[in-house]
Amino acid sequence: MALMTHSPWWKSAVIYQTYLRSFQDSNGDGIGDIRGIIQRLDYLEWLGIDAIWVTPFYPSPMADFGYDVSDHTNIDPIFGTFSDIDSLIGYLHDRNLKILIDFVAAHTSDRNQWFIESRSSRSHPKRDWYIWKDPSANGEPPNNWLGRFDGLSAWEWDSKTEQYYLHSFLKEQPDINWRSPGARQAMLDVLHFWLQRGVDGIRVDAAYRAYKDLQFRDNPVNPDWHPGMEPSDRLFEVFSKNIPEIHDFNRMLRTLVDQYGDTYGTPNGDRLLIAELYKSLEEIVKHYGVNDEFHLPLNSELMSSDFQWSAESVREVVDRYERLLPEGAWPNWSLGNHDKHRVASRIGTSQAKIAMMLLLTLRGTPTIYYGDELGMEDAWIPSEHIQDPWEKKSPGIGVGRDPERTPMLWDNSANAGFCSELVQPWLPITHNYKNINVQAQKQDSRSFLSLTRALLHLRRRQTALQLGDYISLYSPPELFCYRRFNETSDIVVALNFSSQYQEWVLPVEFRNQSKVLLSTFMDRQGGHLGNTLELRGNEGLIVERNHQS
């Protein structure tokens, strides 16, 4: 008898990112928290996702809203308690849902006890846990590296010990020295701590920044930089991130994670390891290794504000990615996250529905950013309400991340159900919340939310959409059409990226023997097709070939 091949849970899963501060406030302070997620578990289960990714909940001075960690193995009181996180893990598992958490690997807060000790004396045992350097010969910083947020020197002078420390982001976020045995073990112990506590996966923040060039060489100048671009883009970050040795870091984390089975007692190797990387596809795929580095190095192609949204561009990206993937590597897709403007604001609501159908029908593991299931848009942030340090440091060039981080829209009450009407939420509510909210869209069978839920439940029923093969199909320039298939099912997805009517001749096997499973307009389900497929402007269709006896 043939042995069944075990497929890890994350290959067929849909991940849902909850930006913790903005998902649900449970205690009346205008900031989302862990118990707020617990309150909304019924919604997440109803929606049909399989796992949630929770952004940092660790103690933090909030210079970068949780990505400046002062204690990696504790809970910030703003977000809750250990009892709350343990309850969340348990409640999720009771519902057969998984949880992923952030591991902020490249830096800590300057108020982390490790750094306080490190900066106390050149002779302190933790001195080498961070990256300290003497001034250059002329008394300037050690090299020309720039901080990501402000484009100023990435080196901060410490007058007490008369050395500079490195911070790739804010000066309140000193970079960890992963080459230090002590720091390395302490950070690996953090992973053990949370994996033993029951989390199902780890998303490694800024993964490609963990190792720096040993010689600390100057980064090369970008000759194409001009005012109006991000200040830090004046240099190419050749020596300060994604250096060749980063693959040693990747393998070290993978070896650790693979020691753990899943949280239901299955064999080792079922926990998920994701890397945050904003690089070209050609660079991203190197972080799979030979199935010994990250399970899912982030594919960020479709979430870039610079990406030209068209059938031809999307087809090119999908097909190039599929060609580049190493043998056995599994794809992943995202339309947005807490660092990128919302997809509905980038391409419009009509095409955002096309994007959602694309996301949930391509081969690979998709991640949905909270609120995108509603077609939620960026919010306008008045200057007095700006929170994001990146916008404060580099104003007016569009790098601010507050617009995509605003509170989740639950209903049409004054603060959209995110927090009490008597409380001011930490960021403003989007202006159109009275129409774009969960309560209103649940009652509309053709709403964006109804479409997203229908896609999720169709994906769960159709194994070809979860784990099946992919091939792109010839189609007119305004259409992107592809096939998903396995031994039991044969499906075509046809997406119209234009606002005009389009016609497409079906593959021969589908002619006169196929039916519509789902339309983005939510009105053609079950319709039988002849030789051609007719698509209205901005319409996407999922078509199944009739079963052959």
Side-chain angles (χ1 to χ4, degrees):
M1 189 171 90
L3 291 172
M4 291 289 288
T5 302
H6 171 68
S7 179
W9 64 267
W10 45 265
K11 282 193 172 184
S12 59
V14 177
I15 300 168
Y16 184 95
Q17 181 190 355
T18 58
Y19 187 70
L20 182 55
R21 291 183 70 89
S22 294
F23 196 62
Q24 179 66 59
D25 171 25
S26 73
N27 62 357
D29 63 359
I31 298 171
D33 46 51
I34 297 166
R35 293 219 65 84
I37 297 178
I38 292 172
Q39 285 180 18
R40 297 298 185 178
L41 288 182
D42 284 349
Y43 167 74
L44 294 172
E45 188 173 27
W46 170 87
L47 185 60
I49 54 91
D50 303 290
I52 66 167
W53 154 26
V54 183
T55 51
F57 44 76
Y58 318 110
S60 167
M62 300 296 164
D64 190 22
F65 294 102
Y67 287 92
D68 50 318
V69 179
S70 56
D71 185 348
H72 289 81
T73 55
N74 213 328
I75 314 293
D76 196 300
I78 289 174
F79 299 126
T81 64
F82 267 122
S83 175
D84 294 333
I85 195 68
D86 289 341
S87 294
L88 177 61
I89 293 169
Y91 291 147
L92 285 164
H93 290 166
D94 288 346
R95 296 169 186 249
N96 200 29
L97 299 174
K98 309 285 189 178
I99 180 171
L100 288 71
I101 63 169
D102 262 313
F103 176 54
V104 185
H107 49 258
T108 71
S109 166
D110 63 346
R111 298 189 203 173
N112 190 301
Q113 188 61 34
W114 299 346
F115 185 71
I116 292 170
E117 294 176 26
S118 180
R119 78 185 308 177
S120 67
S121 161
R122 286 198 185 198
S123 60
H124 194 282
K126 287 191 177 72
R127 183 66 170 184
D128 74 341
W129 284 33
Y130 294 84
I131 298 172
W132 293 92
K133 291 288 175 188
D134 290 326
S136 61
N138 63 2
E140 295 295 311
N143 62 24
N144 72 346
W145 295 359
L146 301 176
R148 185 75 180 96
F149 287 160
D150 57 13
L152 302 176
S153 176
W155 297 93
E156 183 72 11
W157 179 248
D158 181 66
S159 56
K160 179 181 179 183
T161 59
E162 299 188 319
Q163 279 189 316
Y164 284 96
Y165 69 84
L166 180 67
H167 58 91
S168 296
F169 293 91
L170 300 170
K171 65 182 175 64
E172 293 87 357
Q173 294 171 289
D175 284 24
I176 282 275
N177 178 17
W178 276 86
R179 299 183 191 277
S180 159
R184 183 169 61 246
Q185 190 56 56
M187 291 297 278
L188 295 177
D189 287 346
V190 170
L191 288 176
H192 283 300
F193 178 88
W194 290 108
L195 289 165
Q196 289 168 6
R197 211 164 188 102
V199 302
D200 303 285
I202 302 290
R203 181 253 190 196
V204 183
D205 180 69
Y208 51 3
R209 291 186 180 274
Y211 278 8
K212 313 298 192 296
D213 177 51
L214 261 177
Q215 299 173 54
F216 290 90
R217 288 169 282 187
D218 277 357
N219 280 326
V221 172
N222 176 3
D224 298 322
W225 186 89
H226 57 81
M229 293 175 63
E230 294 181 31
S232 62
D233 285 346
R234 287 186 287 124
L235 302 179
F236 292 121
E237 291 189 276
V238 173
F239 299 114
S240 50
K241 73 176 184 183
N242 206 43
I243 67 171
E245 290 169 276
I246 199 64
H247 299 281
D248 296 334
F249 169 79
N250 298 351
R251 284 187 286 270
M252 176 170 53
L253 298 195
R254 177 65 179 272
T255 298
L256 186 154
V257 168
D258 278 353
Q259 296 172 24
Y260 290 84
D262 79 4
T263 45
Y264 301 99
T266 61
N268 289 357
D270 220 26
R271 307 286 179 101
L272 174 60
L273 191 61
I274 298 177
E276 180 197 30
L277 307 159
Y278 294 110
K279 298 293 286 183
S280 68
L281 290 175
E282 287 75 10
E283 285 296 316
I284 286 167
V285 297
K286 296 176 184 176
H287 290 262
Y288 286 100
V290 286
N291 193 28
D292 63 349
E293 297 186 34
F294 286 99
H295 295 111
L296 300 177
L298 175 71
N299 169 6
S300 60
E301 286 287 306
L302 298 182
M303 64 172 79
S304 169
S305 295
D306 298 328
F307 182 73
Q308 297 300 308
W309 185 258
S310 70
E312 291 178 299
S313 296
V314 172
R315 178 197 297 275
E316 189 278 328
V317 163
V318 175
D319 289 351
R320 177 158 51 96
Y321 186 39
E322 287 280 356
R323 286 194 305 271
L324 289 168
L325 285 167
E327 184 178 355
W330 188 246
N332 69 96
W333 297 97
S334 301
L335 298 172
N337 63 22
H338 61 289
D339 290 331
K340 301 294 180 181
H341 292 309
R342 286 193 177 272
V343 63
S345 291
R346 298 197 313 264
I347 64 176
T349 302
S350 296
Q351 278 296 304
K353 291 182 177 181
I354 295 290
M356 186 62 77
M357 183 171 278
L358 174 81
L359 177 70
L360 295 177
T361 58
L362 283 173
R363 192 175 81 99
T365 300
T367 298
I368 298 174
Y369 186 46
Y370 83 96
D372 280 358
E373 72 271 27
L374 307 171
M376 193 170 156
E377 300 172 357
D378 287 351
W380 179 69
I381 310 296
S383 57
E384 66 270 21
H385 290 297
I386 291 171
Q387 302 281 351
D388 183 21
W390 201 346
E391 178 65 24
K392 291 179 179 180
K393 300 282 186 183
S394 301
I397 61 171
V399 295
R401 300 165 296 177
D402 290 338
E404 61 264 25
R405 296 178 172 185
T406 55
M408 179 64 174
L409 307 175
W410 296 105
D411 58 40
N412 63 4
S413 61
N415 284 325
F418 165 72
C419 62
S420 162
E421 299 180 21
L422 304 176
V423 173
Q424 180 171 316
W426 81 284
L427 279 174
I429 305 295
T430 53
H431 73 281
N432 52 6
Y433 74 93
K434 286 192 179 293
N435 297 318
I436 300 180
N437 66 70
V438 170
Q439 185 183 66
Q441 293 198 13
K442 265 189 171 185
Q443 296 167 8
D444 178 358
S445 61
R446 296 186 183 182
S447 68
F448 205 128
L449 178 60
S450 294
L451 169 64
T452 304
R453 183 171 186 263
L455 282 164
L456 287 164
H457 286 257
L458 178 63
R459 179 186 170 91
R460 190 170 279 179
R461 294 193 304 272
Q462 292 281 352
T463 55
L465 292 178
Q466 297 174 30
L467 301 171
D469 291 333
Y470 160 91
I471 54 170
S472 69
L473 301 170
Y474 175 79
S475 56
E478 301 289 357
L479 300 183
F480 177 31
C481 303
Y482 49 94
R483 201 162 174 171
R484 299 296 313 283
F485 58 96
N486 60 14
E487 315 80 43
T488 60
S489 187
D490 200 353
I491 288 172
V492 161
V493 181
L495 304 173
N496 185 357
F497 282 70
S498 79
S499 58
Q500 306 301 314
Y501 167 89
Q502 300 286 334
E503 201 170 274
W504 179 58
V505 179
L506 285 162
V508 62
E509 305 94 326
F510 282 72
R511 294 173 195 168
N512 295 303
Q513 49 186 352
S514 57
K515 65 181 179 182
V516 175
L517 292 178
L518 192 62
S519 162
T520 52
F521 285 73
M522 300 290 286
D523 60 358
R524 292 174 67 178
Q525 289 87 315
H528 292 275
L529 300 171
N531 290 338
T532 60
L533 193 61
E534 297 177 343
L535 292 115
R536 291 163 286 186
N538 302 308
E539 183 176 24
L541 287 175
I542 302 174
V543 174
E544 183 181 32
R545 181 183 171 195
N546 296 338
H547 294 296
Q548 304 299 302
S549 55

